[in-house]
Amino acid sequence: MEFIDLKSQQALIREDIEKRIAAVLDHGRYVLGPEVEELEEKLADYVGVKHCLTVSSGTDSLLIALMALGIGPGDEVITVPYTWISTAEMIALIGAKPVFVDIDEKTWNMDPEKLEAAITDKTKAIMPVGIYGQTADMAAINAIAAKHGNLPVIEDAAQCFGATHHGVKSCALSTIGSTSFFPSKPLGCYGDGGALFTNDDEIAQMMKQIRVHGQAQKHQHPVLGLNGRFDTIQAAVVLAKMSLFDNEIVRRNQVAAAYGESIAASELVQRGLQLPHVAEGNTSVWAQYTMLSPDRDALHEKLKEANIPAVSYYAVPLHLQPVFAYLGHQQGDFPVAERVASEGISLPMNPYLSDDEIAQVVGCF
């Protein structure tokens, strides 16, 4: 059983992928070729924003967003301690201070009720994360940002691209939306890649310059930038995958529903197993199907014995990572994040799980 099944997906679109890659080999524009522009137009239309800019990775997309907003040393950016390290890593790399707020007990995304207390006169942006497939409460977060001088909001949507919040797609919900095309994502390529989204013309132009070493025109570099360009072959892959994306989201939701209905009747729920919760007004793309188990190690071993792959993501929250020791946090500072980190376990999740495989998984509960 595959935890994330790229082979079955590829079998459906292999001919289209090969045709698109062959076209790249024929025209030879391997960086920022015509497929990149085609993909950017399709992604912007899909999300419902004016501008999409593809970039070299989901990590670089966050860095470019921060740079475009002029954030640097002495500034603070608020984010969460329960996420992949790149979210806070890019804040620190640019010289700003990551300021953590705890996550919601049900969705495991940023808790808006804890956000306002973290805002200071040094706060220059808020960076919520859409963990495991659904967005944070972006409406509440945006309202707080507006109240405090229209603070920019950067949505880290690396795991929730394609999800909606009150009918609006992820990456169209804030000042800047950022996503990743890492192969394991619901919409991924066959290497590293990412994209940025905005309705702000000036921010879009600045991000475009930063992507190519700060270049406004040939031999003119008015701002510092980086090499953040997207490979044309990877754009060709994502274009092919987009034909399957919406149907795959439907199937991911079917798999999640099947898991939930069966596991909810399990005695493990009576012993404290917590199933994932999709907030009212949200849809999820189920990047992962993650539960909390106070007996995680025993459950992990039981799944392993049945040859079922399972993963515990972000087992050490960011505020307890050695690289962020200088922030002065300790165990107990963010109790919800710490609990989710210590109890979280993710089951196989992909659109190509068969009903028999789903039954095999839930049979362990």
Side-chain angles (χ1 to χ4, degrees), residues 327-362:
L327 295 174
H329 293 300
Q330 58 187 356
Q331 191 88 27
D333 283 356
F334 304 102
V336 182
E338 290 167 21
R339 178 186 169 223
V340 177
S342 65
E343 296 186 6
I345 183 168
S346 298
L347 301 179
M349 171 51 76
N350 66 76
Y352 303 99
L353 284 169
S354 68
D355 291 344
D356 286 345
E357 288 174 323
I358 293 170
Q360 184 184 350
V361 173
V362 300

Side-chain angles (χ1 to χ4, degrees), residues 160 268 353:
C160 66
L268 291 182
L353 284 169

Side-chain angles (χ1 to χ4, degrees), residues 159-171:
Q159 292 185 22
C160 66
F161 184 78
T164 62
H165 180 64
H166 297 292
V168 180
K169 280 215 168 67
S170 174
C171 289

